[in-house]
Amino acid sequence: MVVPIAYAVKNGQHAHNLAAYKAPYPSRLAQRSLSALGIMFLRQHWKCLAEAAGGPLTHATIVPSTRGRRGPHPVEIILASRVGLPMLQAMTSSAYSSEDRDFHRDRFFVPPGRAAKARVLLLDDTWTNGGRLQSLAFALKDAGAAAVAAVILGRHVNPAFGPSAPMMGRLRSAQWFDVEQCCLEPEGR
């Protein structure tokens, strides 16, 4: 399952935060904002994520950096380290460039046995086309994970992209963002 928390409309504040929190000189304000958003969302929706995963979440992981970033990934720092689940680490294949956003069965590797029967909370900052996240979800399932629940801080939307027009119309007519709503719940609770 894929659960985006919010849309990140190009040139909007949320899209800015998703770029600024991991910039070479990261914005502490963007980091705090995204961390608070993720923690509030997970606190509010932990039970519906576990229900959709078929039981309690047992592990957390993040989509590893494909750009050779040193040290822990910023998503691990601002969110994954705060959920209280053991971390599963995936390894990245060097066969694909960092610009490649397509799904590849062998893009990531999770050692056999590490994910056996796990119900994994997979955290990522952005969803553009989903290729990397789907590649990692495949690797986790291939390593024996029982379920993968992917939570994304921001789903990128480019309003200039023609097929986005109907969604942009709905977003513009919405009164405000509500962290209490998620795509796993029926509308209008």
Side-chain angles (χ1 to χ4, degrees), residues 21 23 39 41 56 63 82 152 162 187:
Y21 94 103
I39 290 166
F41 182 86
V63 177
R82 299 168 186 237
I152 297 101
E187 289 187 44

Side-chain angles (χ1 to χ4, degrees), residues 132-145:
R132 291 181 188 156
L133 185 137
Q134 292 172 5
S135 297
L136 179 54
F138 180 87
L140 289 163
K141 296 288 279 189
D142 196 45

Side-chain angles (χ1 to χ4, degrees), residues 26 43 81 85 111 151 179:
R43 176 176 285 173
S81 64
L85 295 174
V151 174
V179 76

Side-chain angles (χ1 to χ4, degrees), residues 143-157:
V148 178
V151 174
I152 297 101
L153 289 169
R155 167 62 170 107
H156 278 291
V157 178

Side-chain angles (χ1 to χ4, degrees), residues 50-63:
E51 183 178 307
L57 298 168
T58 62
H59 295 79
T61 193
I62 58 161
V63 177

